[in-house]
């Protein structure tokens, strides 16, 4: 049987490698991990299993060889990717009747993303969304992809920020934009009514921004979404190695992601909390919701942030999904695991966002406004 | 234009690689994952990093070749391991001034594990401990290892059950023992004052037992410790493959663990919830605390159980530690990560275990008993 001979061959390779490396300690303590077979995950939804069954082994060679070299090449790669994502975001918004309207706040581009109906329990709430994309992708309407899903699933109004990015604008441009918008949002409503966050680089930028808000003595958002956060701009973290060639989305750190981080960091050391917020302060952080998967290259980023939060005494909920790669809850947004994520996120936000007395009164007043009250009822 | 030729080149490379490197879908959809280097984890405590720096690559060959064949060989292997663990447990109990006293409940062997001082907030509480060891190891005093740590860190009294195990006693002997003891514990105090659980097989047996308590209409423990639970008796779960040869403790599923599961299951199908509780019912489960690590062979078991609990609406807290293998919080019980685990566990139990009014009154009465109250004070 063909499969068996493949397996026997794999075994022979493993045995040979084991004999050669023979468990001697490498100078830097690094381990040599042999090849292996990874079957499609079993205990997942039928829909997600079907996807895994039809996904070939992630191609590390292609990932490594496809790195732009000049600024023009970067910009071409970025705009090609963003065009596709923007088209998908537009289609999705239309299908879900979510309104996406461009606007500016303090000169920063933003999108107002509004579901067809706001849930009564989210009346007065706002989700301040920070898109991901390794700090280079998802500029313009492409950045609204996750925002549309949040608005639709949670029935909450969203403002999604289109912050400046490399190659033209390395850090701190992105955070300056977030800060400028945040100051205006704080004038419009209580921070206790605002959730903030995003996925990957969006979660990373959220964390460094919140750390900056703290330094400036600004009010903080009431709750955070830290979706498989880009917490470390350097190649640090077990799963950056363990899940190389296993994560179907990112595939591997070396290559485009690594170079994107360097472009973003330009003016900063890779360990500076400004670009690697995992090394920043987490004391007094808002309650945070974290999500990752067993095949996620950034699982270590996620659990490292979770522990930093917990050590600082922050209410932080960690969710790890079997079989999921980096941000699969966005990529495969129509499988049950994705809906489950948004349901969990909503439950978390509803637990932590303030429910101002005004909400109830406003609703009541609406209902009661046409009922005449006889004079005697007030005695 | 240069860019176009770059793109064409990239496309050609991708297509070529897809043709060459078995990115052809295997019949069963399994991926072939290549070898890699795994450096020691970085963002961990200095003490734990030192351990990782001095740990050689886990030896899969040794793990595979060291499998007992006859019942006598199994018993010899088990008793050799248990002697060592029992000696360590005794040393630890002595060093921590924890009392370990053998007793029986309903004819089942148990150990009463008592810290030198019970924390006032745990007055009236009890931790019902179920030891791990792949359902074959840690019989007798060896099973008190984790119980001593729980008693010492949490300052809570512990009863640790020495349930019957294979090769002599496959399932359902272990669960029958747990059930017999649980019924007596329920007569002695309210279930709302009892936490239950353990690590690995101990967490697995805890889950199947709680599922059985439910079937019988018995009161359930108020909170559970599910430490890197053995949730599935078959080789299912991403990290059983991904972390093969990376987990320093278990090393790999194939071999001793696989055979131990088969011995334990003897009378049951491997997917029967009796031996694979992840397939059982989680509705109405007690609040549960789960812990695992990025190098844990059972990380998938842990996150699968976490999701089953969350889907059933159960309050369940997941903790995943960077760099940690299966149950490293027990194996390296003197590094900060281990203390952190026990602090988290204690916070979780204190949040969920009932604090009966009686506790406060009893304390107050003790303090006030010698103060004479003048007649007029009661007017």
């Amino acid at each position: 049987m063909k499969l068996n001979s493949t397996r026997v061959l794999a075994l022979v390779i493993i045995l040979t490698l084991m004999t050669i490396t023979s468990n001697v300690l490498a100078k830097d303590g690094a381990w040599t991990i042999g090849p292996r077979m990874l079957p499609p995950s079993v205990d997942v939804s039928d829909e997600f299993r079907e996807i895994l069954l039809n996904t070939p082994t992630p191609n590390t060679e292609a990932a490594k060889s496809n790195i732009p070299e000049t600024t023009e090449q970067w910009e071409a790669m970025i705009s090609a990717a963003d065009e596709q994502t923007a088209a998908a975001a537009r289609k999705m918004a239309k299908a879900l009747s979510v309104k996406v309207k461009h606007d500016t706040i303090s000169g920063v581009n933003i999108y107002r993303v509004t579901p067809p109906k706001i849930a009564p329990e989210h009346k007065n709430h706002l989700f301040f969304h920070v898109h991901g994309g390794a700090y280079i992708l998802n500029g313009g309407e492409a950045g609204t992809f996750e925002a549309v899903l949040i608005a639709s699933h949670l029935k909450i109004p969203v403002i999604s920020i289109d912050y400046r990015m490399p190659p033209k604008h390395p850090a701190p441009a992105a955070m300056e934009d977030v800060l400028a918008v945040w100051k205006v949002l704080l004038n419009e409503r209580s921070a206790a009514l605002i959730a903030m966050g995003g996925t990957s680089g969006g979660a990373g930028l959220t964390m460094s921004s919140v750390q900056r808000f703290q330094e400036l003595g600004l009010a903080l958002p009431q709750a955070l979404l830290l979706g498989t956060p880009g917490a470390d701009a350097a190649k640090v973290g077990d799963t950056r190695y363990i899940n190389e060639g296993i994560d179907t989305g990112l595939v591997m750190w070396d290559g485009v992601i690594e170079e994107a981080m360097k472009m973003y960091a330009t003016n900063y050391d890779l360990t500076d909390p400004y670009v690697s917020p995992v090394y920043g302060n987490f004391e007094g952080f808002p309650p945070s919701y974290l999500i990752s998967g067993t095949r996620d290259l950034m699982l270590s980023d996620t659990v490292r942030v979770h522990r930093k939060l917990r050590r600082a005494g922050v209410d932080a909920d960690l969710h790890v999904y079997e079989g999921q790669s980096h941000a699969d809850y966005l990529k495969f947004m129509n499988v049950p695991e994705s809906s489950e994520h948004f349901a969990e996120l909503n439950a978390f936000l509803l637990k932590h966002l303030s429910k101002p007395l005004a909400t109830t009164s406003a609703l009541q007043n609406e209902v009661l406004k046409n009922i005449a009250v006889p004079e005697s009822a007030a005695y």
Side-chain angles (χ1 to χ4, degrees), chain A:
Chain A
M1 192 178 142
K2 199 175 170 232
L3 180 69
N4 277 343
S5 63
T6 313
R7 280 206 182 141
V8 168
L9 180 65
L11 195 66
V12 169
I13 294 169
I14 292 172
L15 290 178
T16 315
L17 282 168
M18 302 252 30
T19 322
I20 299 168
T21 59
S22 80
N23 303 76
V24 182
L25 266 180
K27 242 189 189 166
D28 57 357
W31 298 345
T32 308
I33 307 301
R36 69 211 47 227
M37 300 295 288
L38 178 61
S41 313
V42 171
D43 197 5
V44 294
S45 71
D46 292 345
E47 294 87 338
F48 186 56
R49 183 163 163 82
E50 192 59 28
I51 289 169
L52 288 175
L53 275 165
N54 290 296
T55 306
T57 309
N59 192 329
T60 50
E61 279 316 303
K64 260 188 298 197
S65 61
N66 207 1
I67 309 163
E69 281 172 14
T70 65
T71 302
E72 290 68 32
Q73 285 177 4
W74 276 106
E75 285 173 343
M77 189 207 78
I78 290 166
S79 71
D82 286 357
E83 265 173 43
Q84 288 188 9
T85 310
R90 265 192 299 271
K91 259 193 207 170
M92 203 164 60
K94 198 178 167 194
L96 298 169
S97 306
V98 171
K99 271 190 220 148
V100 178
K101 207 173 154 290
H102 175 265
D103 200 349
T104 60
I105 293 182
S106 281
V108 177
N109 289 310
I110 60 126
Y111 291 89
R112 297 189 189 274
V113 183
T114 317
K117 204 179 160 176
I118 308 289
E121 62 270 28
H122 279 309
K123 198 176 148 86
N124 294 333
H125 289 165
L126 174 72
F127 195 104
F128 181 27
H129 175 249
V130 186
H131 71 76
Y135 304 113
I136 56 166
L137 295 171
N138 297 333
E141 216 173 337
T144 64
F145 190 94
E146 183 177 36
V148 169
L149 286 170
I150 292 172
S152 176
H153 276 284
L154 279 64
K155 301 184 176 55
I156 190 172
V158 178
I159 286 182
S160 185
I161 180 168
D162 181 17
Y163 53 86
R164 286 170 298 156
M165 294 187 289
K168 280 214 178 65
H169 304 287
M175 202 200 288
E176 281 171 1
D177 289 351
V178 173
L179 185 59
V181 172
W182 181 244
K183 283 179 180 168
V184 174
L185 294 184
L186 283 185
N187 282 336
E188 288 172 359
R189 82 183 73 204
S190 158
L193 299 168
I194 310 178
M196 178 176 174
T199 289
S200 196
L205 181 52
T206 295
M207 289 189 286
S208 14
S209 298
V210 168
Q211 286 163 356
R212 184 81 184 120
F213 299 167
Q214 285 186 310
E215 283 169 10
L216 297 172
L218 296 176
L220 305 183
Q222 188 77 356
L224 302 181
L225 158 62
L226 303 176
T228 176
D232 199 321
K235 192 178 177 182
V236 169
D238 276 1
T239 60
R240 300 262 183 101
Y241 297 85
I242 293 175
N243 283 339
E244 177 177 311
I246 290 176
D247 186 312
T248 56
L250 299 178
V251 184
M252 65 195 303
W253 181 262
D254 308 3
V256 171
I257 305 173
E258 186 183 23
E259 295 306 318
M261 289 304 128
K262 284 185 197 160
M263 281 199 294
Y264 178 62
T266 304
N267 309 308
Y268 297 88
D269 190 273
L270 288 183
T271 59
D272 194 302
Y274 223 99
V275 293
S276 291
V278 71
Y279 299 113
N281 173 52
F282 287 96
E283 300 284 336
F285 246 58
S288 300
Y289 168 97
L290 299 100
I291 173 171
S292 181
T294 52
R295 299 185 178 200
D296 187 354
L297 205 65
M298 313 285 260
L299 171 58
S300 280
D301 290 62
T302 313
V303 307
R304 287 167 65 200
V305 169
H306 183 242
R307 295 258 44 91
K308 299 288 165 83
L309 288 165
R310 290 296 307 143
R311 272 171 216 155
V314 176
D315 197 340
D317 280 8
L318 173 66
H319 300 267
V320 180
Y321 284 72
E322 174 74 356
Q324 298 236 321
S325 294
H326 189 66
D328 270 359
Y329 55 92
L330 298 181
K331 191 164 148 200
F332 305 116
M333 85 292 190
N334 59 339
V335 307
E337 282 86 348
S338 181
S339 310
E340 189 174 332
H341 153 63
F342 287 106
E344 285 277 17
L345 175 62
N346 199 27
F348 186 84
L349 296 191
L350 287 173
K351 189 172 149 194
H352 293 289
L353 287 177
S354 287
K355 287 144 211 81
L357 287 172
T359 307
T360 318
S361 324
L363 278 171
Q364 270 189 355
N365 292 346
E366 191 60 30
V367 171
L368 301 179
K369 71 177 173 187
N370 292 324
I371 300 174
V373 181
E375 192 81 11
S376 58
Y379 299 147

